[in-house]
Amino acid sequence: MIQPHAFRLTQGDDLKASVLAYVKANSIKAGSLLSCAGCLTTARIRLADESKSLTLDGPLEILTLSGTLTADHVHLHISVADKEGRVFGGHLMDGNLVSYTAEICLLSFTEQHFSREYDAATGFDELVVVNNTKFI
C-alpha cells in the first residue's frame, strides 16, 4: 500500500535533517521523495565525481528534490537555481538551510522495507529492497 505524506519546512530548517526527522517520526521504513518546492539560503551539494562539493549562498530556488527514504537514511538529489537562473545539482548534503519555505511531498510504501548495505563493487552503501520477504 502507498501512503502519501506532505509537510512544510520553515526558515532556518535543515532540509536533509528535517526530511530524515520526519521519516523517523512517522516510522517510514520505505519511501520516495516526490517533490519539494521552496527556497534555500545555503545549499551544500556533492558533485558527481564524489570528491568535490559546492556550497552556494542564496537566494536559491529548489527546482527538484527526489530520492529514496529508509528508516535511518535519506538518499536525496537536488537541483537549485541562483538569482541569475544558473542551475546546480547533485547529492544533497547536510547544511541546506530553508530561507522562507519548503513544501515536501513524499510517499511511503507500507509493504516494503528499504535498507542500505555496503556494496564492494561500488564502494557505497546501496539500496536493499525487501518486499514480502523477497529481495528485489
Side-chain angles (χ1 to χ4, degrees), residues 3 5-7 9 16-30 69-74 106 108:
Q3 175 70 45
H5 299 259
F7 59 99
L9 303 176
K16 184 178 177 184
S18 297
V19 171
L20 181 57
Y22 183 91
V23 166
K24 288 183 176 193
N26 289 274
S27 302
I28 296 172
K29 305 292 184 223
L69 314 170
T70 71
D72 299 314
H73 183 267
V74 293
L106 61 88
S108 61

Side-chain angles (χ1 to χ4, degrees), residues 56-111:
L56 305 167
D57 292 321
L60 300 160
E61 286 289 336
I62 300 168
L63 303 177
T64 62
L65 182 67
S66 63
T68 52
L69 314 170
T70 71
D72 299 314
H73 183 267
V74 293
H75 181 194
L76 302 174
H77 288 191
I78 191 168
S79 63
V80 297
D82 68 11
K83 62 185 176 181
E84 277 83 41
R86 292 176 298 198
V87 176
F88 302 89
H91 180 87
L92 185 72
M93 299 170 60
D94 292 324
N96 291 267
L97 302 179
V98 173
S99 60
Y100 299 107
T101 193
E103 302 161 355
I104 311 259
C105 295
L106 61 88
L107 296 176
S108 61
F109 310 114
T110 59
E111 303 298 318

Side-chain angles (χ1 to χ4, degrees), residues 111-126:
E111 303 298 318
Q112 294 179 314
H113 183 271
F114 292 175
S115 62
R116 300 194 85 73
E117 292 181 6
Y118 181 76
D119 183 331
T122 66
F124 292 98
D125 289 341
E126 300 292 0

